[in-house]
Structures are given as structure tokens and as C-alpha cells.
Amino acid sequence: MKKTKRIRKVIEIIRHYLALLVVSIFVLLPYYWMIVTAIKPTEEVMVSPATLLPSRIELSNFGKVWNFLPLGTYMKNSLIVSAVVTIVSVIFATLCGYSISRFIRRKAQKGALILMLCTQLIPGIVTMISLYFIMFNLKMNNTYQGLIIAYVVWAVPFCTLMIKGYFDAAIPREIEESARVDGCSQFRTFFDICLPISIPGIISTAIFAFILAWNEYMWASILLSGDKLKPVSVGIYDFIGQYGANTKMALTMTAGIFITLPAMIIFGFLQKYLISGLSAGAVKG
């Protein structure tokens, strides 16, 4: 009997790791192909059938991309916009999420929460024209400010719902009640007790806000027209449209490596907070 259970357990473990292996290959294959294409010699990039490994490593593409494109300017623009969007979104989402988590009692307030959730189901293109004319009338098109506002409008509801789940699950109300009994005001309870405890949830929310702003293309392509303000998403797309993805495939893939590095570095340093924030917000009790 014990031997049968042991065999079943081993089979379950093997199935588990096989499933993880298949999913990992499926997810990592595009990144592997991007890296291999970036370091291939030019004559091997468009060879059919394609080779999985380059005959030699060609690193000159990295220098060519940096000199050929104003990649430094594009990345600076993306970093500025993404950082501001992340800070503003996290501040608003933290305050709103805590308020919704602790003070919603009536049906009207719950209706507001449902309405906020429904806004996430609306495609961005539906409000694109109206928001563009708002920015145009305010003379905020082709500016950092207009782009930041457009990103924050879409980031705050999602971040609010995310951090609200963390407050619900990870911070017991009894802790706040004890602080209130000891004489803490509501503001001091929030800033001195709830905020330090909710650091993992705030960081995981900030990562999602940063990635949303870093990867966004639609609003940037509409609101910005000058090259000096373009983020990397629009800059790379313009490069592909101007020179063609086939003729300069290696350079396109090399630019893709440059673009993914900031997000990967941030995720690498903060992944423990992301995992703990998501796991704490996923299980209540």
C-alpha cells in the first residue's frame, strides 16, 4: 500500500514538472529566439530553414542599434513617464483601495466599486477619441503631462482593485481596532500601521503599473508626434515601419533586448515582494 502511494506521488511530481517544463518552453521560446537572432551574423538571420544556434556570435548589432536609433532618448522618455505613472498610480490606488476595503458598507458604495471594475472591461479605443480631444483642448497633446494622465486613468482602477484585495486579506481589522483603542487616529493608524505592513502589496502593484506604462503603445502613438518625446514602444515601431522588419531583423531583435532589460531588472530585484504580495492578496483569512 505504501509502495503504491509512493509510486503515485512520484508520478504526480513528474507530471507537475513536465507541465512546468512545457509551459516554460512555450513562454521562453520567443525570448530565446530574440536573443539568438540578435547575435546571429547577418547572412544567417533570414536563412530557411532557420537555425537554432548561430555559427558565431555577432555582438556588433548592439553598437549599431545604439548608434542607429536614438534609443537612449526613447528609453529616457519611457523611464520618466513610467516612473511618474507608477508613483501617482500607487499613491491614488493605495488611498482608494484602503478606503474601499475599510469603509464601504452601503449599496451605493458597493455600486461604485462594481462600476470601477466595469471600467476595466471597456476597450481603450472606445474612449480614445474623447480623451484625445480633451488633451488637445487643454493643449496637453505632445507633452509628458498628457501621456502621464492618459496612463494614470487606466492604471489607477486596476491598481486600486489589486491593492484593495491585499488590504482585505493581509491586514486584519483587529490590528487597526487595537490601535484605535490605544488612541491612534484613523490617519495615524493608516500611515503608521497599515502602510508598513502593506509594503509587499504596494510593490507588486507598482510593478504592474510600471510594466503597463512601459509597454503601452496606443496612447503614446496618438498623443505624441515629436521624436524627442517618443517612448521605446513607439520608437521601435517607427523603426520597423521605416526600414522593414525583414531587412533589419537582427537590429529589431537587438532593440527588443534593450527594451526588455529595465523591466527584467526591476522584476529580478522585486520578485520576492511581487510573489508575497500576490499570494497574500489571493487568500483571505
Side-chain angles (χ1 to χ4, degrees):
M1 190 71 177
K2 291 183 178 179
K3 188 175 181 181
T4 305
K5 289 183 178 179
R6 209 175 281 174
I7 293 174
R8 288 179 179 176
K9 189 175 181 180
V10 171
I11 293 174
E12 289 179 2
I13 293 174
I14 293 173
R15 288 177 178 175
H16 175 74
Y17 280 102
L18 283 176
L20 288 177
L21 179 63
V22 172
V23 173
S24 299
I25 292 174
F26 182 77
V27 172
L28 295 176
L29 185 59
Y31 296 97
Y32 171 78
W33 193 257
M34 178 177 66
I35 294 171
V36 168
T37 304
I39 62 176
K40 276 183 179 181
T42 306
E43 61 272 12
E44 293 184 13
V45 173
M46 299 303 296
V47 171
S48 182
T51 56
L52 294 177
L53 292 173
S55 60
R56 70 177 190 276
I57 296 177
E58 185 71 43
L59 298 178
S60 62
N61 290 327
F62 292 89
K64 290 178 182 178
V65 166
W66 193 262
N67 295 325
F68 191 75
L69 289 172
L71 199 57
T73 302
Y74 293 157
M75 294 185 72
K76 181 197 74 173
N77 295 335
S78 290
L79 284 173
I80 291 173
V81 173
S82 300
V84 176
V85 169
T86 300
I87 293 171
V88 174
S89 299
V90 167
I91 291 174
F92 280 104
T94 303
L95 297 174
C96 293
Y98 180 78
S99 300
I100 294 172
S101 174
R102 293 300 187 260
F103 304 114
I104 280 189
R105 294 291 184 272
R106 300 177 182 176
K107 291 184 178 180
Q109 294 170 322
K110 292 182 180 179
L113 178 60
I114 294 173
L115 184 62
M116 181 181 294
L117 179 62
C118 290
T119 61
Q120 299 302 293
L121 305 177
I122 301 174
I125 197 170
V126 173
T127 59
M128 179 179 63
I129 298 175
S130 58
L131 186 57
Y132 173 80
F133 279 108
I134 290 173
M135 296 299 174
F136 181 81
N137 292 329
L138 294 175
K139 297 182 180 180
M140 297 183 70
N141 59 313
N142 204 30
T143 62
Y144 281 143
Q145 294 87 341
L147 190 61
I148 289 169
I149 291 174
Y151 287 177
V152 168
V153 165
W154 288 104
V156 166
F158 176 80
C159 293
T160 299
L161 295 172
M162 186 174 177
I163 195 67
K164 182 257 181 191
Y166 188 88
F167 282 128
D168 286 342
I171 304 178
R173 296 177 185 269
E174 289 78 9
I175 296 177
E176 300 177 56
E177 292 173 358
S178 299
R180 296 297 299 274
V181 170
D182 291 337
C184 286
S185 64
Q186 188 67 56
F187 285 101
R188 188 176 176 186
T189 301
F190 173 70
F191 286 106
D192 292 349
I193 297 175
C194 294
L195 274 185
I197 297 175
S198 61
I199 290 299
I202 292 174
I203 291 178
S204 60
T205 303
I207 292 175
F208 276 97
F210 181 87
I211 293 176
L212 184 148
W214 182 267
N215 292 335
E216 212 284 329
Y217 168 78
M218 183 181 69
W219 289 109
S221 64
I222 294 170
L223 293 176
L224 302 179
S225 57
D227 289 336
K228 292 183 179 180
L229 297 178
K230 286 181 180 179
V232 287
S233 56
V234 178
I236 296 303
Y237 185 82
D238 290 347
F239 168 74
I240 295 174
Q242 184 175 358
Y243 296 100
N246 293 331
T247 57
K248 297 187 181 296
M249 177 67 74
L251 297 183
T252 303
M253 294 297 182
T254 306
I257 294 176
F258 278 115
I259 294 172
T260 55
L261 277 178
M264 292 178 65
I265 291 172
I266 291 174
F267 181 81
F269 280 107
L270 301 178
Q271 62 174 330
K272 60 179 181 179
Y273 296 103
L274 177 64
I275 295 171
S276 60
L278 291 177
S279 59
V283 181
K284 187 174 182 178

